[in-house]
């Protein structure tokens, strides 16, 4: 007497076999490391901007101009901008991959995401490095 066990067919549509790459592993690792670094950068930013030397009442155009005169603060703000944008974009990319059913929809949503990320990073970097504290009316 032979007994065979049969498995039901999977309910989800079959996807083509994924190529073997470490892209998702690197993405996962980046999310953990960038998140940790972002916590440090953002909490430092909030502490300095809101608690030290009188709080938020001192923040104005002159304060930002003086702060961005230092390469240290330019790098700090640039690191926050780049890490936050890429970290958030990577998270949204994962959500798109998880929830977009059609390949065309997935493609166009990710293209929209990538274009917006490049635009925001480029514009923010441009502002940080070309900021002129001597604006004449």
């Amino acid at each position: 007497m032979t007994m065979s066990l049969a498995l039901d067919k999977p309910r989800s549509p079959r996807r083509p076999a994924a190529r073997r790459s470490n892209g998702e592993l690197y993405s996962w690792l980046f999310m953990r490391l960038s998140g940790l670094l972002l916590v440090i950068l953002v909490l430092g930013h909030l502490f300095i901007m809101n608690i030290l030397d009188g709080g938020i009442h001192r923040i104005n155009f002159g304060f930002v101009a003086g702060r961005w005169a230092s390469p240290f603060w330019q790098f700090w703000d640039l690191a926050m901008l780049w890490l936050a944008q890429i970290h958030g974009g990577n998270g949204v990319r994962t959500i798109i991959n998880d929830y977009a059913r059609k390949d065309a929809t997935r493609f166009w949503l990710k293209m929209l995401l990538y274009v917006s990320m490049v635009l925001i990073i480029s514009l923010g970097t441009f502002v940080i490095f070309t900021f002129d504290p001597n604006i004449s009316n």
Side-chain angles (χ1 to χ4, degrees), residues 42-81:
V42 170
L43 289 179
H45 173 82
L46 290 173
F47 180 75
I48 292 165
M49 299 297 271
N50 297 327
I51 296 174
L52 290 182
D53 295 333
I56 61 171
H57 301 292
R58 69 187 170 111
I59 299 174
N60 57 23
F61 182 84
F63 175 79
V64 174
R67 186 168 181 215
W68 279 355
S70 165
F72 174 80
W73 290 116
Q74 284 181 328
F75 177 76
W76 184 291
D77 289 347
L78 187 70
M80 275 197 311
L81 169 71

Side-chain angles (χ1 to χ4, degrees), residues 96 100-111:
I96 291 170
R101 295 187 186 269
K102 296 180 181 177
D103 288 338
T105 304
R106 189 177 307 111
F107 172 80
W108 287 111
L109 285 174
K110 287 200 289 191
M111 284 302 110

